[in-house]
Coordinates of all heavy atoms in Angstrom, one line a residue:
M9 N 0.8 -1.2 -0.1 CA 0.1 0.0 0.0 C 0.8 1.3 -0.1 O 1.7 1.3 0.9 CB -0.9 0.0 1.2 CG -1.9 1.1 1.4 SD -3.2 1.0 0.1 CE -4.1 2.5 0.5
M10 N 0.6 2.1 -0.9 CA 1.4 3.3 -1.1 C 1.1 4.3 -0.1 O -0.1 4.5 0.3 CB 1.3 4.0 -2.5 CG 2.6 4.3 -3.0 SD 2.6 4.2 -4.8 CE 0.8 4.5 -5.2
K11 N 1.9 5.1 0.5 CA 1.7 6.2 1.3 C 0.9 7.2 0.6 O 1.3 7.6 -0.5 CB 3.2 6.9 1.8 CG 3.2 7.1 3.3 CD 4.5 7.4 3.7 CE 4.5 8.5 4.8 NZ 5.1 9.7 4.4
P12 N -0.1 7.8 1.3 CA -1.0 8.8 0.5 C -0.3 10.1 0.5 O 0.6 10.4 1.3 CB -2.1 9.0 1.4 CG -1.8 8.3 2.9 CD -0.7 7.3 2.5
V13 N -0.4 10.9 -0.5 CA 0.1 12.2 -0.7 C -0.7 13.2 0.3 O -1.9 13.3 0.2 CB 0.0 12.7 -2.1 CG1 0.6 14.1 -2.3 CG2 0.6 11.7 -3.0
L14 N 0.1 13.9 1.1 CA -0.7 14.9 2.1 C -0.7 16.2 1.2 O 0.2 16.9 0.9 CB 0.2 15.0 3.3 CG -0.2 16.1 4.2 CD1 -1.7 15.7 4.8 CD2 0.7 16.3 5.4
V15 N -2.1 16.6 1.0 CA -2.4 17.8 0.4 C -3.0 18.8 1.3 O -4.1 18.4 1.9 CB -3.1 17.7 -0.9 CG1 -3.6 19.0 -1.6 CG2 -2.4 16.8 -1.8
E16 N -2.3 19.9 1.8 CA -2.9 20.7 2.8 C -3.4 22.0 2.0 O -2.7 22.7 1.4 CB -1.9 21.1 3.9 CG -1.6 19.8 4.7 CD -0.4 20.2 5.5 OE1 0.8 20.2 4.9 OE2 -0.5 20.2 6.8
I17 N -4.7 22.2 2.2 CA -5.2 23.5 1.4 C -5.5 24.5 2.5 O -6.3 24.3 3.4 CB -6.4 23.1 0.6 CG1 -5.9 22.2 -0.5 CG2 -6.9 24.4 -0.1 CD1 -7.1 21.9 -1.6
C18 N -5.0 25.7 2.2 CA -5.3 26.9 3.3 C -6.8 27.3 3.0 O -7.1 27.7 1.8 CB -4.2 28.0 3.1 SG -4.7 29.4 4.2
M19 N -7.6 27.2 3.9 CA -8.9 27.9 3.9 C -9.0 29.0 4.7 O -10.1 29.4 5.2 CB -9.9 26.6 4.3 CG -10.0 25.6 3.4 SD -10.4 26.0 1.6 CE -12.2 26.1 1.9
G20 N -8.0 29.7 5.0 CA -7.9 31.1 5.8 C -8.6 32.1 4.9 O -8.9 31.9 3.7
T21 N -9.1 33.3 5.6 CA -9.9 34.2 4.8 C -9.3 34.6 3.5 O -9.9 34.7 2.5 CB -10.1 35.4 5.7 OG1 -10.6 35.0 6.9 CG2 -11.1 36.4 5.1
S22 N -8.1 35.0 3.5 CA -7.4 35.5 2.5 C -7.4 34.5 1.3 O -7.7 34.8 0.1 CB -5.9 35.8 2.8 OG -5.2 36.2 1.7
C23 N -6.9 33.2 1.6 CA -7.0 32.2 0.5 C -8.3 31.9 0.0 O -8.5 31.6 -1.2 CB -6.2 31.0 1.1 SG -4.3 31.3 1.2
Y24 N -9.2 31.9 0.9 CA -10.6 31.7 0.6 C -11.1 32.6 -0.5 O -11.6 32.2 -1.5 CB -11.5 31.6 1.9 CG -12.9 31.1 1.5 CD1 -13.3 29.8 1.5 CD2 -13.8 32.0 1.2 CE1 -14.5 29.4 1.0 CE2 -15.2 31.6 0.9 CZ -15.5 30.3 0.8 OH -16.7 30.0 0.5
L25 N -10.8 33.8 -0.3 CA -11.3 34.8 -1.1 C -10.6 34.8 -2.4 O -11.0 35.2 -3.5 CB -11.0 36.3 -0.4 CG -12.0 36.6 0.7 CD1 -11.6 38.0 1.4 CD2 -13.4 36.6 0.2
L26 N -9.4 34.2 -2.5 CA -8.6 34.0 -3.8 C -8.9 32.9 -4.4 O -8.2 32.6 -5.3 CB -7.1 34.1 -3.3 CG -6.6 35.6 -3.0 CD1 -5.2 35.5 -2.3 CD2 -6.5 36.5 -4.2
G27 N -9.9 32.0 -3.9 CA -10.2 30.8 -4.6 C -10.0 29.5 -4.1 O -9.9 28.5 -4.9
A28 N -9.6 29.3 -2.8 CA -9.2 28.1 -2.3 C -10.3 27.0 -2.4 O -10.1 25.8 -2.5 CB -8.8 28.2 -0.7
Q29 N -11.6 27.4 -2.2 CA -12.7 26.5 -2.5 C -12.6 25.6 -3.8 O -12.8 24.5 -3.9 CB -14.0 27.2 -2.2 CG -15.3 26.2 -2.3 CD -15.2 25.3 -1.1 OE1 -15.2 25.7 0.1 NE2 -15.5 23.9 -1.3
A30 N -12.2 26.4 -4.9 CA -12.3 25.8 -6.1 C -11.1 24.7 -6.2 O -11.2 23.7 -6.9 CB -11.9 26.7 -7.2
L31 N -10.1 24.8 -5.3 CA -9.0 23.9 -5.3 C -9.5 22.6 -4.6 O -9.3 21.5 -4.9 CB -7.8 24.4 -4.6 CG -7.1 25.7 -5.0 CD1 -5.9 26.1 -4.1 CD2 -6.6 25.5 -6.4
L32 N -10.2 22.9 -3.5 CA -10.8 21.8 -2.7 C -11.7 20.9 -3.5 O -11.8 19.7 -3.7 CB -11.6 22.3 -1.6 CG -11.7 21.6 -0.2 CD1 -10.2 21.5 0.3 CD2 -12.5 22.4 0.8
D33 N -12.6 21.7 -4.4 CA -13.6 20.9 -5.4 C -12.9 20.1 -6.3 O -13.2 19.1 -6.6 CB -14.4 22.0 -6.0 CG -15.4 22.8 -4.9 OD1 -15.6 22.3 -3.8 OD2 -15.9 23.9 -5.3
A34 N -11.7 20.7 -6.9 CA -11.0 20.1 -7.9 C -10.5 18.7 -7.5 O -10.7 17.7 -8.2 CB -9.9 21.0 -8.5
I35 N -10.1 18.7 -6.2 CA -9.6 17.4 -5.6 C -10.7 16.5 -5.2 O -10.7 15.1 -5.7 CB -8.7 17.6 -4.4 CG1 -7.3 18.3 -4.8 CG2 -8.5 16.4 -3.6 CD1 -6.5 18.6 -3.8
E36 N -11.7 16.9 -4.8 CA -12.9 16.2 -4.5 C -13.6 15.4 -5.8 O -14.1 14.4 -5.7 CB -14.0 16.8 -3.7 CG -13.6 17.3 -2.3 CD -13.4 16.2 -1.3 OE1 -13.4 15.0 -1.8 OE2 -13.0 16.5 -0.2
R37 N -13.4 16.2 -6.9 CA -13.9 15.5 -8.1 C -13.0 14.7 -8.9 O -13.4 14.1 -10.0 CB -14.3 16.8 -9.1 CG -15.5 17.5 -8.8 CD -15.9 18.4 -10.1 NE -15.1 19.4 -10.2 CZ -15.1 20.5 -9.9 NH1 -16.1 21.0 -9.0 NH2 -14.3 21.5 -10.2
L38 N -11.8 14.4 -8.3 CA -10.9 13.6 -8.9 C -11.5 12.0 -8.9 O -12.2 11.6 -8.0 CB -9.6 13.5 -8.2 CG -8.6 14.6 -8.4 CD1 -7.4 14.4 -7.4 CD2 -8.0 14.5 -9.7
P39 N -11.1 11.2 -10.0 CA -11.7 9.8 -9.9 C -11.1 9.2 -8.7 O -10.0 9.5 -8.2 CB -11.0 9.2 -11.2 CG -10.1 10.3 -11.8 CD -10.3 11.6 -11.1
A40 N -11.9 8.2 -8.2 CA -11.5 7.5 -7.0 C -10.2 7.1 -6.8 O -9.5 7.0 -5.8 CB -12.6 6.4 -6.7
E41 N -9.7 6.5 -8.0 CA -8.4 5.8 -7.8 C -7.2 6.8 -7.6 O -6.2 6.5 -7.1 CB -8.0 5.0 -9.1 CG -7.7 5.7 -10.3 CD -9.0 5.9 -11.2 OE1 -10.1 5.9 -10.7 OE2 -8.9 6.3 -12.4
K42 N -7.4 8.2 -7.9 CA -6.6 9.2 -7.7 C -6.9 9.8 -6.2 O -6.1 10.0 -5.5 CB -6.6 10.3 -8.6 CG -6.0 9.8 -10.0 CD -5.9 10.9 -11.0 CE -5.2 10.3 -12.3 NZ -5.2 11.3 -13.4
R43 N -8.3 10.0 -6.1 CA -8.7 10.7 -4.8 C -8.2 9.8 -3.6 O -7.8 10.4 -2.7 CB -10.1 10.9 -4.9 CG -10.8 11.5 -3.6 CD -10.3 12.9 -3.4 NE -10.9 13.4 -2.1 CZ -10.2 13.2 -1.0 NH1 -8.9 12.5 -0.9 NH2 -10.6 13.8 0.0
N44 N -8.3 8.4 -3.8 CA -7.8 7.6 -2.6 C -6.4 7.7 -2.3 O -6.1 7.2 -1.2 CB -8.2 6.1 -3.0 CG -9.6 5.9 -3.1 OD1 -10.4 6.7 -2.6 ND2 -10.0 4.8 -3.8
Q45 N -5.6 8.3 -3.2 CA -4.2 8.4 -2.9 C -3.8 9.8 -2.1 O -2.7 10.0 -1.8 CB -3.4 8.3 -4.2 CG -3.4 7.0 -4.8 CD -2.5 6.9 -6.0 OE1 -1.3 7.2 -6.1 NE2 -3.2 6.6 -7.3
I46 N -4.8 10.5 -1.8 CA -4.6 11.9 -1.4 C -5.2 12.0 0.1 O -6.4 11.7 0.2 CB -5.3 12.8 -2.3 CG1 -4.6 12.9 -3.6 CG2 -5.0 14.2 -1.6 CD1 -5.3 13.8 -4.6
N47 N -4.4 12.4 0.9 CA -4.9 12.7 2.4 C -5.1 14.2 2.3 O -4.2 14.9 2.4 CB -3.9 12.3 3.3 CG -4.2 12.7 4.7 OD1 -5.4 13.1 4.9 ND2 -3.3 12.5 5.6
L48 N -6.2 14.6 2.3 CA -6.6 16.1 2.0 C -7.0 16.7 3.4 O -7.9 16.3 4.1 CB -7.9 16.3 1.0 CG -8.3 17.6 0.8 CD1 -7.2 18.4 -0.1 CD2 -9.6 17.6 -0.1
C49 N -6.2 17.8 3.6 CA -6.4 18.6 4.9 C -6.7 20.0 4.6 O -6.1 20.5 3.8 CB -5.2 18.4 5.7 SG -5.0 16.8 6.4
E50 N -7.6 20.6 5.4 CA -7.8 22.1 5.4 C -7.0 22.7 6.5 O -7.1 22.2 7.7 CB -9.3 22.3 5.5 CG -10.2 21.9 4.4 CD -11.7 22.2 4.6 OE1 -11.9 23.2 5.2 OE2 -12.4 21.4 4.0
V51 N -6.3 23.7 6.2 CA -5.6 24.4 7.3 C -6.0 25.8 7.4 O -6.6 26.4 6.5 CB -4.0 24.3 7.1 CG1 -3.5 22.9 7.0 CG2 -3.6 25.1 5.9
A52 N -5.8 26.4 8.7 CA -6.3 27.7 8.9 C -5.5 28.8 8.1 O -6.1 29.7 7.7 CB -6.3 28.0 10.4
C53 N -4.2 28.7 8.1 CA -3.4 29.7 7.5 C -1.9 29.3 7.6 O -1.4 28.8 8.4 CB -3.4 31.2 8.3 SG -2.7 32.4 7.5
F54 N -1.3 29.5 6.4 CA 0.2 29.5 6.2 C 0.7 30.9 6.2 O -0.2 31.8 5.9 CB 0.5 28.7 4.9 CG 0.2 27.2 4.7 CD1 -0.8 27.0 3.7 CD2 0.6 26.3 5.5 CE1 -1.2 25.7 3.5 CE2 0.3 25.0 5.3 CZ -0.6 24.7 4.4
P55 N 1.8 31.1 6.5 CA 2.3 32.6 6.4 C 2.6 33.0 5.0 O 3.6 33.5 4.6 CB 3.6 32.6 7.3 CG 4.1 31.1 7.3 CD 2.9 30.2 7.0
E56 N 1.6 32.8 4.1 CA 1.8 33.1 2.7 C 0.4 33.9 2.2 O 0.1 33.8 1.1 CB 1.9 31.8 1.9 CG 3.1 31.0 2.3 CD 4.3 31.5 1.8 OE1 4.3 32.4 0.9 OE2 5.5 31.1 2.1
C57 N -0.2 34.5 3.1 CA -1.6 35.0 2.8 C -1.6 35.8 1.6 O -2.6 35.8 0.7 CB -2.1 35.8 3.9 SG -2.3 34.9 5.5
R58 N -0.5 36.7 1.3 CA -0.5 37.7 0.1 C -0.4 36.8 -1.2 O -0.5 37.5 -2.3 CB 0.3 38.7 0.4 CG -0.1 39.8 1.4 CD 1.0 41.0 1.5 NE 2.1 40.3 2.0 CZ 3.3 40.8 1.8 NH1 3.5 42.0 1.2 NH2 4.4 40.3 2.3
K59 N 0.1 35.6 -1.2 CA 0.3 34.9 -2.4 C -0.6 33.8 -2.6 O -0.3 32.8 -3.2 CB 1.8 34.4 -2.3 CG 2.8 35.7 -2.3 CD 4.3 35.1 -2.4 CE 4.7 34.7 -1.0 NZ 6.0 34.0 -1.0
G60 N -1.7 33.9 -2.0 CA -2.6 32.6 -2.0 C -3.3 32.4 -3.3 O -3.2 33.3 -4.2
P61 N -4.1 31.5 -3.5 CA -4.2 30.4 -2.5 C -3.1 29.5 -2.3 O -2.4 29.2 -3.3 CB -5.5 29.6 -3.1 CG -6.0 30.4 -4.2 CD -5.0 31.2 -4.7
S62 N -2.7 29.2 -1.1 CA -1.6 28.5 -0.6 C -2.1 27.0 -0.3 O -3.1 26.8 0.2 CB -1.1 29.2 0.6 OG -0.8 30.4 0.4
V63 N -1.0 26.1 -0.8 CA -1.2 24.7 -0.7 C 0.0 24.2 -0.3 O 1.2 24.6 -0.8 CB -1.8 24.1 -2.0 CG1 -1.8 22.5 -1.9 CG2 -3.0 24.6 -2.5
R64 N 0.1 23.1 0.4 CA 1.4 22.4 0.8 C 1.2 21.0 0.4 O 0.3 20.3 0.9 CB 1.7 22.5 2.4 CG 3.1 22.1 2.7 CD 3.5 22.6 4.0 NE 2.6 22.1 5.1 CZ 2.6 22.7 6.3 NH1 3.5 23.8 6.6 NH2 1.8 22.4 7.3
I65 N 2.0 20.5 -0.3 CA 2.0 19.0 -0.9 C 3.2 18.3 -0.3 O 4.3 18.6 -0.6 CB 2.0 18.8 -2.3 CG1 0.7 19.7 -2.9 CG2 1.8 17.4 -2.8 CD1 0.7 19.6 -4.5
N66 N 3.0 17.3 0.5 CA 4.0 16.6 1.3 C 5.1 17.6 1.7 O 6.3 17.3 1.5 CB 4.7 15.6 0.3 CG 3.8 14.3 0.1 OD1 2.9 14.3 0.9 ND2 4.2 13.4 -0.7
G67 N 4.8 18.7 2.3 CA 5.8 19.6 3.0 C 6.2 20.7 2.0 O 6.9 21.5 2.5
T68 N 5.8 20.6 0.8 CA 6.5 21.7 -0.1 C 5.3 22.6 -0.3 O 4.2 22.5 -0.7 CB 6.8 21.0 -1.7 OG1 7.8 20.1 -1.4 CG2 7.2 22.2 -2.5
M69 N 5.7 24.0 0.1 CA 4.7 25.1 -0.1 C 4.6 25.5 -1.6 O 5.5 25.7 -2.3 CB 5.3 26.4 0.6 CG 5.0 26.3 2.3 SD 3.4 26.3 2.6 CE 2.4 27.4 1.5
L70 N 3.3 25.9 -2.0 CA 3.1 26.2 -3.4 C 2.1 27.5 -3.1 O 1.2 27.4 -2.4 CB 2.3 25.1 -4.1 CG 3.2 23.9 -4.3 CD1 2.3 22.7 -4.7 CD2 4.4 24.2 -5.5
S71 N 2.3 28.6 -3.9 CA 1.4 29.7 -3.8 C 0.7 30.0 -5.1 O 1.1 29.5 -6.2 CB 2.3 31.0 -3.3 OG 3.0 30.6 -2.2
G72 N -0.3 30.8 -5.0 CA -1.0 31.2 -6.3 C -1.5 30.1 -7.0 O -1.5 30.3 -8.3
M73 N -2.1 29.1 -6.3 CA -2.6 27.9 -6.9 C -3.9 28.1 -7.8 O -4.8 28.8 -7.3 CB -2.7 26.8 -6.0 CG -1.3 26.3 -5.4 SD -0.1 25.9 -6.7 CE -0.6 24.2 -7.0
T74 N -3.9 27.6 -8.9 CA -5.2 27.4 -9.6 C -5.6 25.9 -9.7 O -4.7 25.0 -9.5 CB -5.1 27.9 -11.1 OG1 -4.1 27.0 -11.7 CG2 -4.6 29.4 -11.1
P75 N -6.8 25.6 -9.9 CA -7.2 24.2 -9.9 C -6.4 23.3 -10.8 O -5.8 22.3 -10.5 CB -8.7 24.2 -10.3 CG -9.2 25.5 -9.7 CD -8.2 26.4 -10.0
S76 N -6.2 23.9 -12.1 CA -5.4 23.2 -13.1 C -3.9 23.0 -12.6 O -3.3 21.9 -12.8 CB -5.5 23.7 -14.4 OG -5.0 25.1 -14.5
H77 N -3.4 23.9 -12.1 CA -2.0 24.0 -11.5 C -1.8 22.9 -10.5 O -1.0 22.0 -10.4 CB -1.5 25.4 -11.1 CG -0.1 25.4 -10.9 ND1 0.6 26.6 -10.3 CD2 1.0 24.6 -10.9 CE1 1.8 26.4 -10.1 NE2 2.2 25.1 -10.6
L78 N -2.9 22.8 -9.6 CA -2.8 22.0 -8.5 C -2.9 20.6 -9.0 O -2.3 19.7 -8.6 CB -4.0 22.3 -7.5 CG -4.1 21.4 -6.3 CD1 -3.0 21.4 -5.4 CD2 -5.3 21.7 -5.5
L79 N -4.0 20.3 -9.8 CA -4.1 18.9 -10.3 C -2.7 18.4 -11.1 O -2.4 17.3 -11.0 CB -5.2 18.8 -11.4 CG -6.6 19.2 -10.5 CD1 -7.7 18.9 -11.6 CD2 -6.8 18.2 -9.4
A80 N -2.2 19.3 -11.8 CA -1.0 18.9 -12.5 C 0.1 18.6 -11.5 O 0.9 17.5 -11.6 CB -0.4 20.1 -13.5
K81 N 0.2 19.4 -10.5 CA 1.2 19.2 -9.3 C 1.1 17.8 -8.7 O 1.9 17.0 -8.5 CB 1.2 20.2 -8.3 CG 2.1 21.3 -8.6 CD 3.6 20.9 -8.4 CE 4.4 22.0 -8.9 NZ 5.8 21.4 -9.0
I82 N -0.3 17.5 -8.5 CA -0.6 16.2 -7.8 C -0.3 15.1 -8.6 O 0.1 14.0 -8.1 CB -2.1 16.3 -7.4 CG1 -2.3 17.1 -6.2 CG2 -2.5 14.9 -7.2 CD1 -3.8 17.5 -5.8
E83 N -0.4 15.3 -10.0 CA 0.0 14.1 -10.9 C 1.4 13.7 -10.7 O 1.9 12.5 -10.9 CB -0.3 14.5 -12.3 CG -1.7 14.6 -12.8 CD -2.4 13.3 -12.8 OE1 -1.8 12.2 -12.8 OE2 -3.6 13.3 -12.5
E84 N 2.3 14.7 -10.2 CA 3.6 14.4 -10.1 C 3.9 13.5 -8.8 O 5.0 12.8 -8.7 CB 4.5 15.6 -9.9 CG 4.4 16.5 -11.0 CD 5.2 17.9 -10.8 OE1 5.9 18.1 -9.7 OE2 5.1 18.9 -11.6
Y85 N 2.9 13.4 -7.9 CA 3.1 12.7 -6.7 C 2.2 11.3 -6.9 O 2.8 10.5 -6.1 CB 2.6 13.5 -5.5 CG 3.4 14.6 -5.2 CD1 3.3 15.9 -5.8 CD2 4.3 14.6 -4.2 CE1 4.1 17.0 -5.5 CE2 5.1 15.6 -3.7 CZ 5.1 16.9 -4.4 OH 5.9 17.9 -4.1
I86 N 1.2 11.2 -7.5 CA 0.5 9.9 -7.5 C 0.9 9.1 -8.7 O 1.5 9.7 -9.6 CB -1.0 10.2 -7.3 CG1 -1.6 11.1 -8.7 CG2 -1.4 11.0 -6.2 CD1 -3.0 11.4 -8.7
H87 N 0.5 8.0 -8.6 CA 0.8 6.9 -9.8 C -0.2 6.2 -10.3 O -1.2 6.1 -9.7 CB 1.8 6.0 -9.1 CG 3.0 6.6 -8.4 ND1 4.1 7.0 -9.2 CD2 3.3 7.0 -7.1 CE1 5.0 7.8 -8.3 NE2 4.5 7.7 -7.2
Ligands
FES125 S1 -5.0 32.8 4.6 FE1 -4.0 31.3 3.4 S2 -1.8 31.6 3.8 FE2 -3.0 32.9 5.1

């Protein structure tokens, strides 16, 4: 069994206003075989508010994420 990819999405006010909900939705809509490889967490705030929406994937901070950019990144981690 492979270790799930930890995807933490900031749902703080700033990131929320910048579109964090769309990131969450994009992951929830993934096909089950991909969704099952992701451990999705919502976090309150990273110290990256001005560059949101912020996401951390397996410890790597990513800023200014769009749904398509996020899904492309996740493809690098899942198999
Ligand atoms: S609100 Fe998202 S990094 Fe602060």
Side-chain angles (χ1 to χ4, degrees):
M9 183 71 186
M10 225 151 31
K11 223 166 146 243
V13 181
L14 176 60
V15 178
E16 299 167 284
I17 297 186
C18 180
M19 292 300 279
T21 307
S22 173
C23 289
Y24 186 83
L25 292 175
L26 290 166
Q29 183 65 50
L31 303 180
L32 214 59
D33 294 345
I35 290 183
E36 293 296 6
R37 279 196 300 265
L38 283 170
E41 72 270 18
K42 291 185 179 180
R43 179 65 186 86
N44 291 342
Q45 295 184 54
I46 297 169
N47 177 10
L48 182 62
C49 292
E50 297 178 29
V51 302
C53 188
F54 296 116
E56 299 282 348
C57 300
R58 281 177 303 153
K59 294 185 277 173
S62 304
V63 178
R64 189 162 59 191
I65 303 180
N66 280 359
T68 300
M69 275 308 307
L70 301 161
S71 301
M73 295 302 280
T74 63
S76 59
H77 189 189
L78 177 61
L79 294 181
K81 270 288 165 198
I82 282 173
E83 289 294 330
E84 297 174 13
Y85 287 86
I86 62 180
H87 305 280

